[in-house]
Amino acid sequence: MIKAILIFNNHGKPRLIRFYQYFAEDMQQQIIRETFHLVSKRDDNVCNFLEGGSLIGGSDYKLIYRHYATLYFVFCVDSSESELGILDLIQKMYEKVCLSLQVFVETLDKCFENVCELDLIFHMDKVHYILQEVVMGGMVLETNMNEIVAQVELQNRMEKSEGGLSAAPARAVSAVKNMNLPEIPRNINIGDINIKVPSLSPF
Amino acid sequence: MALKIVKGSIDRMFDKNLQDLVRGIRNHKEDEAKYISTCIDEIKQELKQDNIAVKANAVCKLTYLQMLGYDVSWAAFNIVEVMSSSKFTYKRIGYLAASQCFHEGTDVIMLTTNQIRKDLSSPNQYDTGVALTGLSCFVTPDLARDLASDIMTLMSHTKPYIRKKAVLIMYKVFLKYPESLRPAFPRLKEKLEDPDPGVQSAAVNVICELARRNPKNYLSLAPLFFKLMTSSTNNWVLIKIIKLFGALTPLEPRLGKKLIEPLTNLIHSTSAMSLLYECVNTVIAVLISLSSGMPNHSASIQLCVQKLRILIEDSDQNLKYLGLLAMSKILKTHPKSVQSHKDLILQCLDDKDESIRLRALDLLYGMVSKKNLMEIVKKLMLHVDKAEGTTYRDELLTKIIDICSQSNYQYITNFEWYISILVELTRLEGTRHGHLIASQMLDVAIRVKAIRVFAVAQMATLLDNGHLLTGNMQRNGICEVLYAAAWICGEFSEHLEDPMQTLEAMLRPKVATLPGHIQAVYVQNAAKLFATVLRKQEGTTDSLAAQETSQLLIDRLPLFVQSANLEVQERASCILQLVKYIQKLQQKEVEVAEEVTALFAGELNPVAPKAQKKVPVPDGLDLDAWINEPPSESESEDEKPKAIFTKEEPKHTRPRHTEVDEKELARRREARKQEQANNPFYIKTSPSSQKVYQDQPGVEHIPVVQIDLSVPLKVPGMPMSDQYLKLEEERRQKERSERKKKEKKKKREKHGRGRRADSGPESEEDITPAHHVDIVTEEMPENALPSDDDDKDPNDPHKALDIDLDNLVSGSASRPLTDNEKLPVRTHRPAEAVKSPVEAGNGESATPEPKKKKEKKKDKERKETPAPPADASAEVAAGSEPEEESKSTKHKKKKQKKEKEEKEKKKKKKHHHHHHHHHHHLHSADESVQNGTVEEEEEPLPPMSNYTLLGENSYIKMVYDVQGNLQDGSQVVVSVIFENKTDHFLKSMEFNVLDSLNSKLQRPEGSSPHDGLAVPFQLPPGVSNEARFVFSVQSIVMPQKLKGTLTFIVKTEDASTHEKLDFKLHFTCTSYLITTPCYSDAYAKLLESGELKSSSLKLEGVIMPFHHLLARICFHHHFSVVERIDSCASMYSRSIQGHHVCLLVKTSNQTVSIDAKCDEPSLLGNVLDEIKHTFSQC
């Protein structure tokens, strides 16, 4: 089982946190701080495993992490997960022949086209949606990258067809524009045409 | 109205979206908190609006703020609102927020049940997917119970995307609602062979998680997994399966033998390091489980060790780390094969990576032998000197001590060497393990009698140089060793060469700067030394010297009498008075040495650490009872005195009130700590202050004053451990040469014989200890209780999942699912049928208890029954020997297929009435045959149960089952499964029945008796779902038939049509019976009462084993077996209105006679008719 997935930057600022076991918010922050403290003091050329911190897990748990440019990707897992398997999941590394094992980071890369920290900062929700297709409830759901990307894209398309979250304000703006404010008093003045006003709202 | 909407949109325009919020936070780096609090105010405004888009946007922002550590639980209700939006965009936002911040304590969760259920059955697969994902994060026991059956249905969804999510989430459901495991397991197992690799991998994942915690219940799946392992190409799945086998092999060594070959092949063939590594791991597990040697095992071990060596030598640090990790597993059982790689592991100690160094240290622990202990420890000592950073150095220190002290000092041949190692370790500046070294010194000195002379001499030197150790006292844990040194010198003072000098050393004024508990030991042991000195001096009749000694004490002790530490003060003043008195006596020329020595006579024996726990509690002693009135909460406890004479754990304090529970203790401790921390007059003891200091982050950055070690602690007379190493080598050399000489002699004596190559590495046994040591074992109380201390955590959620699943799948003693094990399916609850939860709870909790007992009894009975018919026994055997099956899988498959066909033929003959089954039910029936148990058919799982066809047309099929309501004597529950047979959507289903005088459909309050009931779900194409309807009945003695109609709308792409289906509901008398357990004595009383009318029935030509017959009556007619003797059994059931129905079933030569008794003759008659009908169909 995966107990938590944390992404934070070189200064320990969280970019995505996903706990699969309940911790109160302040505890979550403490865990992030502790994990950052453990991970950040390690050189880049040492191994990617850490025997778990004191706050999360205990002896059965391990921190498996990767450091890319400005970001740390940390998985806290128990002994049922294969260490190298999780690393594969973070990024394909130890796979040379079999292409079926794939990656969270590569998926992000595909979905955001050359992912960088800014993408994660501004689109935390999207990163979550991608992660949801890879890991569910602490268990690995899918390792086939093509499948993951396909499902993410289908859902995005669906969101687009609904107009998306950002489309709503745009529509509001156009509604306001269509109102043609100076005309409204005139219409009212005319008196019997003021029935038009309700028809203005295309909602 | 319109204006309001327009106004809303204008407001909306100025809302920040997530990106704006993030940008804002980044632009307000200085006053981030202030900025965020204004944002939260805005969000609160937005949440008050009606527009769902605005709300969703606000919730999305909250999710971001939650990540930054803000508590957003106040918006939980709004999150639920957004979750229930019909638009996917908003729903997804809502579920994401819920998954981030909902937990079991969130009270609005109970509002979500219906919404989630609706989303689960949504036609849009992504709505379902989002709901499943969200649910996986915040599922509660209630949600799990209410939604288990819905999720189970989704496991057979047409879309693999949904199937895999549904399968995966089942694990979470099992954890929260363990009762669901048994009913769901067959389907879960079925998913192992799902055509979609994603679903398959999810099923493997879930079963692996389950099996990891309770492996023995999943052994029977081994053949299936074996098949998967040899066929799957998905590395992720392979890794999981191989890991699972690692957990299974310790339970079934035969499985291990099977595995070695395919695993070895994989090791050779795979290029994926992750897979290779897991294979090696499992092979190791297999080899560990096979304790008895098979000839070719050494080859497998060699292969593993070889591969691991490659990993360790790899430049990739991860592989190196894992290689070491796996190596340590081999070490446990095959230390020899690892020991040959000692050089490699010692090399790893120099690695720059601390994780790797620690792993290597772990390995060294297991690699030591008598022969190499000194050498390895020497290397480690070198590393101690080199090590940077206190953490690693401390780790090294503990490892050295662990290595030396392991298994009762098994590998130490020379304790003088060990003592000097310990003394050398005291040079470590800034270690927090002073107490560890101290306890080792004490332990060795007490338990190894032969070493005492040496130890005492060493300790005396330590005491003499004590000031060197206390340079930086407050931060220094190392002064703890002085505690040990003082105690040893005092207790074994008879071995001291110059006790007077040591006495002086112990009474130096500098001692007063030591922590209190150490001073106390100093004072006490000064008294012991004093006794020894007196004896020596009086022996030489030098009375003046003796008086001088007394004077020394009288001069020095007042310093301690003034100590702020109570313990020191008390002891010092006691001893001071004593010495004054002695001095008086001395002045009168009285010999006192004898008496003074008597004060400290007697030997202290070492006591095992757990001895106290193992003392058996005498009869009649209640340890939990209060001896006196419990102390009031506010009473501030004084700090417990430091244990003075505890040798094993100087830091251990025994809780005074053992009866106070752990939590309370923790709370008090916390409060006390707080109090102490705030109390300026409280003098903190050094170990605890040391702890506090260590816990602060970034200890490494605090500059530690390094003592100049260029002048090492080489006090004259203090031997260095290295010398011992040399001495030891010389000694061994000598021994070896002597042995050689002897051997040569021998050879000369028996020349001509085959010459043995000698001077190979000496074996363990060859090394003799330098001098004989007698390690005193620790004492245990008489008749100590044997106990295993490593009890599992009682709170482990996985304990509840330790459910025997075998008999679900195979096995002759199968236990069918009982009614109370069935998954709860949602029912519509008519207003009057709703009971208070307490009442309902009582009803539920009251029944299962006796039922379970009953089950067990039944199991036993079944086990005792004679062997099942030939065909069944053959298959049962196949089921119970999984290895055989895997040995010749192909062959077996063919056979199985044949058998399966035969079975099916038979089944068709036997059960005509079964052909109406719902498709997935049929599926599970198939499977039960595949698993090879005939009993499965006779005692079927509920899905293949009593469901009979209610009505069918080209659109829809309905099957139903009627059950009595346990809680209400006038109600029956009709469960109807609706199956959509079309490619279209079925919606607006309405279920209506024409009530009779006797039986009425329960409708919600306020509706007319002709209104239909809406079926609470829609049916996507090809999907089935179950709804329950409650009927009230008045008389139950006669069977009833009710006419009814189902109306529904078929929605095709361009049109929707209204359709209906008529049906007839048949309430048999059997359906009024409820399986009720009855004990044989109660049963006998019932029969004796004479209030029951009797009737009887004869069945001819029944060709089935008796226990099948009984199971059939139990299952179809809701009876339970009271007692069974050979081919005769008594059975019992009860109607919902409390009628007792008793059966006596006998069989002989295909004739079954049933004598029945019941207090209602017409009910009995009808039940017997129905039983007859059941058997006439077979």
Side-chain angles (χ1 to χ4, degrees):
Chain A
M1 289 275 278
I2 300 169
K3 204 167 190 180
I5 297 172
L6 309 172
I7 304 179
F8 44 73
N9 72 0
N10 287 347
H11 306 288
K13 281 232 189 288
R15 294 304 176 211
L16 175 130
I17 57 172
R18 171 76 276 190
F19 287 89
Y20 294 103
Q21 179 193 347
Y22 173 68
F23 290 102
E25 273 78 10
D26 48 345
M27 192 61 188
Q28 293 186 352
Q29 295 300 313
Q30 243 175 300
I31 292 172
I32 296 169
R33 275 195 297 275
E34 190 200 56
T35 314
F36 172 69
H37 182 75
L38 284 173
V39 165
S40 61
K41 67 180 181 197
R42 294 171 63 85
D43 289 342
D44 268 353
N45 53 358
V46 300
C47 74
N48 297 112
F49 312 113
L50 261 177
E51 250 100 306
S54 58
L55 293 175
I56 187 163
S59 58
D60 194 31
Y61 285 83
K62 264 200 196 81
L63 296 176
I64 301 178
Y65 74 97
R66 272 219 156 241
H67 188 201
Y68 298 104
T70 59
L71 289 175
Y72 285 97
F73 289 71
V74 186
F75 280 51
C76 176
V77 303
D78 68 12
S79 59
S80 75
E81 300 294 344
S82 144
E83 291 88 347
L84 292 175
I86 291 288
L87 269 186
D88 281 341
L89 202 70
I90 310 180
Q91 183 163 52
K92 206 180 84 188
M93 269 279 310
Y94 299 95
E95 255 345 89
K96 278 151 202 162
V97 172
C98 178
L99 281 170
S100 67
L101 264 194
Q102 304 290 341
V103 206
F104 180 40
V105 173
E106 276 188 27
T107 315
L108 285 177
D109 218 36
K110 270 201 175 173
C111 293
F112 285 112
E113 284 161 19
N114 281 327
V115 66
C116 69
E117 191 185 342
L118 279 178
D119 291 319
L120 268 67
I121 295 173
F122 285 107
H123 301 284
M124 181 205 70
D125 48 344
K126 299 217 169 56
V127 181
H128 266 294
Y129 300 143
I130 293 168
L131 180 61
Q132 281 176 0
E133 296 302 323
V134 185
V135 179
M136 182 174 133
M139 284 179 289
V140 177
L141 178 69
E142 184 60 69
T143 50
N144 179 344
M145 182 158 67
N146 296 330
E147 169 74 12
I148 297 168
V149 174
Q151 296 296 353
V152 169
E153 273 174 1
L154 274 171
Q155 290 178 63
N156 287 343
R157 212 172 296 155
M158 196 163 136
E159 186 174 304
K160 228 169 259 171
S161 74
E162 282 181 348
L165 187 61
S166 51
R171 249 178 297 163
V173 174
S174 66
V176 175
K177 273 183 191 160
N178 288 342
M179 269 198 297
N180 198 359
L181 285 168
E183 274 178 22
I184 296 173
R186 229 180 295 153
N187 284 344
I188 293 167
N189 279 347
I190 295 166
D192 49 29
I193 319 172
N194 68 353
I195 324 149
K196 275 182 187 169
V197 178
S199 68
L200 277 175
S201 62
F203 266 83
Chain B
M1 182 62 205
L3 267 175
K4 194 178 164 195
I5 295 172
V6 173
K7 190 170 169 289
S9 350
I10 294 171
D11 284 348
R12 179 72 190 77
M13 248 171 65
F14 304 112
D15 288 344
K16 292 191 193 84
N17 60 17
L18 176 62
Q19 282 74 34
D20 299 325
L21 175 77
V22 175
R23 213 166 283 134
I25 293 174
R26 285 163 72 82
N27 289 338
H28 290 77
K29 285 220 168 81
E30 278 77 45
D31 51 348
E32 193 183 289
K34 202 178 134 206
Y35 177 76
I36 289 178
S37 80
T38 59
C39 286
I40 289 181
D41 286 342
E42 283 170 21
I43 288 170
K44 281 185 178 159
Q45 286 305 315
E46 288 166 30
L47 288 175
K48 281 186 190 143
Q49 306 221 0
D50 293 333
N51 190 335
I52 192 72
V54 178
K55 266 187 196 163
N57 185 42
V59 165
C60 184
K61 287 191 282 185
L62 280 180
T63 314
Y64 185 83
L65 294 179
Q66 194 271 345
M67 176 177 80
L68 300 184
Y70 289 85
D71 175 23
V72 299
S73 55
W74 49 270
F77 184 75
N78 303 103
I79 292 173
V80 175
E81 280 181 310
V82 175
M83 275 162 72
S84 49
S85 158
S86 57
K87 276 199 177 180
F88 172 74
T89 315
Y90 305 146
K91 191 185 286 297
R92 180 152 85 153
I93 291 171
Y95 272 105
L96 174 61
S99 69
Q100 288 292 77
C101 66
F102 282 12
H103 54 95
E104 272 185 33
T106 310
D107 44 6
V108 293
I109 277 198
M110 56 185 190
L111 301 178
T112 59
T113 317
N114 275 316
Q115 180 57 42
I116 295 172
R117 181 176 285 134
K118 210 176 111 195
D119 289 334
L120 289 183
S121 56
S122 159
N124 181 343
Q125 63 162 326
Y126 292 114
D127 282 353
T128 315
V130 158
L132 283 173
T133 309
L135 188 61
S136 71
C137 294
F138 57 78
V139 61
T140 63
D142 284 343
L143 280 178
R145 190 194 57 233
D146 293 340
L147 297 173
S149 71
D150 297 76
I151 298 171
M152 231 173 101
T153 319
L154 290 179
M155 283 167 77
S156 317
H157 198 276
T158 45
K159 296 262 183 12
Y161 179 74
I162 299 299
R163 281 209 302 276
K164 74 179 177 197
K165 287 197 169 191
V167 168
L168 212 53
I169 202 179
M170 276 322 272
Y171 178 64
K172 291 273 170 166
V173 174
F174 296 152
L175 280 183
K176 299 287 175 185
Y177 179 55
E179 290 88 338
S180 58
L181 178 56
R182 266 173 64 85
F185 191 70
R187 195 169 299 180
L188 182 61
K189 196 187 151 214
E190 187 184 298
K191 293 297 149 204
L192 284 176
E193 295 181 288
D194 196 278
D196 184 84
V199 181
Q200 200 184 32
S201 135
V204 169
N205 225 330
V206 171
I207 291 188
C208 288
E209 279 297 332
L210 289 170
R212 203 166 69 89
R213 308 293 180 149
N214 302 300
K216 65 176 187 320
N217 298 339
Y218 300 86
L219 266 178
S220 60
L221 290 183
L224 187 57
F225 276 115
F226 194 87
K227 202 176 97 194
L228 280 177
M229 184 179 83
T230 43
S231 61
S232 177
T233 52
N234 181 342
N235 275 0
W236 184 261
V237 170
L238 277 175
I239 287 174
K240 283 274 168 194
I241 293 176
I242 288 167
K243 262 185 165 300
L244 173 70
F245 277 134
L248 292 183
T249 40
L251 301 166
E252 182 52 276
R254 285 179 295 174
L255 176 64
K257 281 182 199 162
K258 275 257 104 41
L259 282 171
I260 287 221
E261 201 201 321
L263 285 179
T264 327
N265 288 343
L266 265 176
I267 291 177
H268 281 302
S269 65
T270 185
S271 61
M273 279 305 193
S274 44
L275 187 56
L276 171 82
Y277 174 67
E278 295 304 338
C279 285
V280 170
N281 252 334
T282 298
V283 170
I284 294 168
V286 169
L287 294 177
I288 290 172
S289 72
L290 297 173
S291 43
S292 56
M294 248 162 61
N296 52 352
H297 277 172
S298 55
S300 310
I301 291 177
Q302 278 316 309
L303 178 68
C304 287
V305 175
Q306 230 173 54
K307 287 279 176 185
L308 290 179
R309 190 178 171 109
I310 294 173
L311 290 188
I312 296 172
E313 282 171 336
D314 200 292
S315 60
D316 186 323
Q317 298 286 323
N318 292 325
L319 298 182
K320 197 178 273 224
Y321 174 87
L322 293 174
L324 289 170
L325 199 66
M327 208 60 128
S328 64
K329 287 181 194 155
I330 301 187
L331 188 70
K332 278 174 202 139
T333 47
H334 302 86
K336 289 243 169 79
S337 32
V338 180
Q339 271 162 10
S340 55
H341 298 279
K342 196 179 72 196
D343 53 320
L344 184 68
I345 287 147
L346 282 172
Q347 248 173 45
C348 290
L349 279 182
D350 297 321
D351 201 283
K352 57 191 177 300
D353 188 347
E354 194 175 302
S355 306
I356 286 174
R357 289 199 304 254
L358 292 178
R359 282 276 139 248
L361 271 181
D362 267 357
L363 265 176
L364 281 181
Y365 175 81
M367 283 171 61
V368 289
S369 62
K370 281 185 179 164
K371 200 178 80 185
N372 61 17
L373 175 72
M374 285 184 165
E375 188 194 337
I376 287 180
V377 171
K378 185 188 164 193
K379 277 236 167 175
L380 291 178
M381 291 300 281
L382 281 178
H383 279 281
V384 172
D385 286 343
K386 277 194 289 181
E388 298 158 13
T390 41
T391 4
Y392 179 59
R393 215 158 45 158
D394 279 356
E395 189 63 35
L396 272 170
L397 189 154
T398 42
K399 267 281 130 52
I400 290 176
I401 289 181
D402 281 355
I403 285 174
C404 294
S405 63
Q406 65 178 308
S407 34
N408 218 0
Y409 307 104
Q410 188 191 340
Y411 300 116
I412 296 185
T413 49
N414 186 340
F415 275 91
E416 286 186 15
W417 165 82
Y418 185 45
I419 292 277
S420 41
I421 285 283
L422 287 174
V423 171
E424 268 175 55
L425 284 175
T426 61
R427 291 186 322 193
L428 276 186
E429 177 65 13
T431 179
R432 59 192 163 112
H433 290 305
H435 62 92
L436 197 64
I437 303 175
S439 70
Q440 280 294 304
M441 286 173 170
L442 286 168
D443 200 39
V444 172
I446 293 165
R447 292 175 56 197
V448 187
K449 285 186 178 153
I451 203 68
R452 282 184 192 161
V453 181
F454 180 79
V456 166
Q458 289 293 302
M459 294 303 124
T461 345
L462 254 185
L463 282 180
D464 221 19
N465 298 285
H467 56 280
L468 286 179
L469 295 176
T470 56
N472 200 354
M473 208 209 41
Q474 275 315 311
R475 268 194 224 157
N476 205 333
I478 202 67
C479 60
E480 286 289 331
V481 293
L482 293 177
Y483 176 103
W487 193 88
I488 292 170
C489 286
E491 185 66 24
F492 307 119
S493 49
E494 69 268 20
H495 300 302
L496 272 176
E497 234 166 67
D498 186 0
M500 191 57 204
Q501 192 195 349
T502 313
L503 181 62
E504 246 216 284
M506 278 166 84
L507 292 170
R508 278 181 202 148
K510 191 104 203 258
V511 172
T513 56
L514 287 170
H517 68 284
I518 299 178
Q519 284 187 53
V521 171
Y522 265 66
V523 172
Q524 183 75 15
N525 286 288
K528 292 184 198 166
L529 274 176
F530 175 59
T532 318
V533 172
L534 276 189
R535 252 169 88 117
K536 278 201 177 171
Q537 287 171 341
E538 279 181 3
T540 55
T541 64
D542 184 1
S543 64
L544 213 67
Q547 281 189 39
E548 270 169 23
T549 318
S550 306
Q551 192 55 44
L552 175 78
L553 257 76
I554 291 169
D555 289 345
R556 298 278 174 86
L557 278 174
L559 177 70
F560 297 102
V561 175
Q562 288 160 16
S563 169
N565 188 300
L566 275 182
E567 187 73 31
V568 181
Q569 209 186 82
E570 196 183 353
R571 284 169 190 247
S573 48
C574 254
I575 290 164
L576 182 61
Q577 290 311 313
L578 188 72
V579 177
K580 278 182 181 165
Y581 180 66
I582 291 169
Q583 200 188 28
K584 262 187 207 163
L585 290 175
Q586 280 173 334
Q587 279 159 0
K588 290 178 196 163
E589 306 263 320
V590 183
E591 296 227 328
V592 284
E594 208 61 42
E595 275 95 345
V596 178
T597 323
L599 280 176
F600 307 105
E603 189 149 323
L604 290 171
N605 290 332
V607 178
K610 284 171 189 161
Q612 176 80 52
K613 245 199 272 174
K614 305 238 173 172
V615 177
V617 180
D619 281 342
L621 176 64
D622 182 10
L623 287 175
D624 291 332
W626 285 98
I627 297 171
N628 45 7
E629 285 303 297
S632 66
E633 283 294 292
S634 59
E635 183 187 357
S636 66
E637 278 179 64
D638 284 334
E639 205 247 347
K640 286 159 196 152
K642 268 281 166 199
I644 300 300
F645 287 117
T646 40
K647 293 155 252 164
E648 309 298 331
E649 298 158 275
K651 290 192 74 186
H652 175 77
T653 50
R654 231 163 253 151
R656 232 182 254 172
H657 305 288
T658 38
E659 50 276 87
V660 184
D661 65 317
E662 277 306 312
K663 254 189 197 164
E664 176 63 15
L665 271 179
R667 203 188 54 75
R668 281 194 203 167
R669 214 170 291 139
E670 201 48 48
R672 197 165 54 237
K673 259 188 209 158
Q674 204 72 33
E675 207 178 295
Q676 288 171 359
N678 295 335
N679 184 355
F681 302 108
Y682 181 80
I683 298 172
K684 287 135 194 130
T685 51
S686 82
S688 59
S689 64
Q690 187 71 23
K691 263 255 169 72
V692 171
Y693 159 75
Q694 284 293 345
D695 285 346
Q696 283 158 0
V699 207
E700 292 77 27
H701 310 308
I702 300 170
V704 177
V705 185
Q706 291 285 338
I707 268 194
D708 187 10
L709 281 178
S710 59
V711 189
L713 256 182
K714 218 170 197 172
V715 199
M718 183 184 269
M720 300 298 285
S721 59
D722 286 0
Q723 286 172 252
Y724 282 96
L725 192 59
K726 267 184 209 152
L727 284 175
E728 181 73 14
E729 267 164 18
E730 278 167 22
R731 190 176 65 86
R732 284 187 197 165
Q733 199 72 43
K734 221 167 132 192
E735 274 179 18
R736 215 177 295 156
S737 54
E738 272 170 23
R739 220 180 298 134
K740 264 188 202 164
K741 268 183 208 160
K742 273 185 200 163
E743 267 174 40
K744 266 182 198 164
K745 266 185 201 164
K746 271 187 203 162
K747 268 180 205 160
R748 251 176 251 151
E749 277 163 19
K750 32 180 165 169
H751 44 159
R753 288 245 183 109
R755 281 192 186 178
R756 254 178 57 212
D758 88 336
S759 77
E762 44 190 335
S763 65
E764 280 293 279
E765 293 73 29
D766 293 343
I767 302 169
T768 52
H771 37 78
H772 182 72
V773 284
D774 173 29
I775 302 180
V776 184
T777 48
E778 293 162 321
E779 281 189 357
M780 280 296 222
E782 284 171 48
N783 55 14
L785 295 171
S787 64
D788 24 58
D789 302 294
D790 319 318
D791 265 348
K792 272 187 189 170
D793 176 16
N795 296 327
D796 186 6
H798 300 280
K799 241 189 168 177
L801 285 182
D802 190 0
I803 294 168
D804 188 9
L805 296 161
D806 274 4
N807 51 27
L808 254 185
V809 186
S810 66
S812 52
S814 80
R815 179 161 77 94
L817 292 170
T818 52
D819 278 353
N820 54 2
E821 275 184 330
K822 281 182 198 167
L823 286 183
V825 181
R826 70 184 299 211
T827 59
H828 81 277
R829 290 192 190 129
E832 62 268 41
V834 175
K835 294 209 164 184
S836 76
V838 185
E839 243 180 288
N842 282 347
E844 269 173 318
S845 59
T847 36
E849 192 51 44
K851 221 169 194 173
K852 266 179 197 158
K853 278 185 191 163
K854 188 73 225 154
E855 290 301 330
K856 268 184 203 159
K857 217 173 171 185
K858 260 202 249 172
D859 274 356
K860 261 188 211 158
E861 278 163 14
R862 255 175 240 134
K863 269 175 205 157
E864 284 159 16
T865 55
D871 59 343
S873 65
E875 293 236 340
V876 168
S880 62
E881 278 184 340
E883 301 73 36
E884 221 165 90
E885 191 169 320
S886 46
K887 202 184 273 175
S888 53
T889 327
K890 272 187 194 165
H891 171 71
K892 203 84 189 180
K893 252 193 223 159
K894 256 188 207 164
K895 204 173 147 193
Q896 254 183 6
K897 222 178 177 179
K898 233 191 233 166
E899 277 169 351
K900 187 175 153 187
E901 279 164 9
E902 276 173 25
K903 270 299 138 42
E904 254 159 10
K905 262 184 227 159
K906 257 185 221 162
K907 201 177 116 204
K908 268 179 202 158
K909 258 188 255 163
K910 279 182 188 168
H911 308 274
H912 294 290
H913 64 285
H914 271 311
H915 70 265
H916 292 315
H917 281 169
H918 202 294
H919 77 274
H920 64 248
H921 295 156
L922 252 184
H923 216 91
S924 53
D926 270 354
E927 184 179 292
S928 73
V929 177
Q930 212 172 21
N931 269 302
T933 20
V934 181
E935 273 98 335
E936 289 293 324
E937 277 173 65
E938 317 302 327
E939 301 159 19
L941 307 168
M944 49 180 296
S945 66
N946 289 317
Y947 284 95
T948 45
L949 185 72
L950 182 58
E952 186 173 14
N953 61 14
S954 54
Y955 300 103
I956 195 163
K957 185 168 107 175
M958 297 191 285
V959 290
Y960 79 111
D961 179 32
V962 189
Q963 299 265 341
N965 188 337
L966 280 167
Q967 273 112 46
D968 190 334
S970 62
Q971 286 187 351
V972 288
V973 179
V974 179
S975 318
V976 185
I977 298 176
F978 300 88
E979 187 198 347
N980 185 350
K981 292 167 68 184
T982 63
D983 299 331
H984 311 300
F985 223 77
L986 299 187
K987 50 186 252 182
S988 306
M989 289 188 283
E990 225 176 69
F991 183 89
N992 201 0
V993 169
L994 220 56
D995 291 348
S996 72
L997 275 177
N998 193 33
S999 313
K1000 292 185 170 65
L1001 174 61
Q1002 299 257 298
R1003 297 173 168 90
E1005 235 170 326
S1007 52
S1008 95
H1010 305 293
D1011 286 347
L1013 272 178
V1015 178
F1017 47 78
Q1018 304 181 339
L1019 282 182
V1023 169
S1024 58
N1025 206 341
E1026 181 170 311
R1028 289 191 174 185
F1029 303 95
V1030 181
F1031 287 79
S1032 65
V1033 285
Q1034 285 182 339
S1035 164
I1036 59 160
V1037 297
M1038 298 285 279
Q1040 302 271 330
K1041 273 184 183 157
L1042 290 182
K1043 276 188 185 169
T1045 321
L1046 179 83
T1047 57
F1048 52 94
I1049 294 173
V1050 183
K1051 201 178 170 199
T1052 53
E1053 262 141 52
D1054 33 29
S1056 53
T1057 53
H1058 222 94
E1059 297 289 343
K1060 70 168 197 168
L1061 170 63
D1062 292 328
F1063 57 81
K1064 249 185 207 171
L1065 259 177
H1066 189 72
F1067 293 122
T1068 57
C1069 281
T1070 292
S1071 55
Y1072 301 130
L1073 297 183
I1074 297 175
T1075 316
T1076 319
C1078 182
Y1079 295 110
S1080 49
D1081 43 349
Y1083 189 78
K1085 258 185 209 157
L1086 191 63
L1087 289 179
E1088 281 164 15
S1089 70
E1091 287 162 12
L1092 306 181
K1093 316 276 184 311
S1094 64
S1095 173
S1096 65
L1097 172 72
K1098 255 204 168 81
L1099 300 168
E1100 300 281 349
V1102 179
I1103 344 164
M1104 65 171 80
F1106 188 54
H1107 62 281
H1108 289 193
L1109 178 109
L1110 292 185
R1112 203 168 272 251
I1113 297 178
C1114 285
F1115 189 77
H1116 290 299
H1117 298 285
H1118 312 162
F1119 277 86
S1120 62
V1121 179
V1122 179
E1123 217 168 354
R1124 186 186 152 190
I1125 302 150
D1126 297 334
S1127 59
C1128 178
S1130 51
M1131 305 178 89
Y1132 176 79
S1133 183
R1134 216 168 67 134
S1135 79
I1136 52 174
Q1137 293 182 355
H1139 303 290
H1140 304 283
V1141 188
C1142 306
L1143 300 183
L1144 184 67
V1145 187
K1146 288 181 214 162
T1147 182
S1148 62
N1149 296 335
Q1150 301 187 3
T1151 311
V1152 179
S1153 68
I1154 301 178
D1155 290 316
K1157 282 192 174 182
C1158 177
D1159 39 12
E1160 180 54 64
S1162 51
L1163 176 69
L1164 183 62
N1166 287 318
V1167 169
L1168 287 182
D1169 282 349
E1170 283 158 20
I1171 293 178
K1172 196 172 171 183
H1173 182 70
T1174 305
F1175 286 97
S1176 69
Q1177 283 180 334
C1178 336

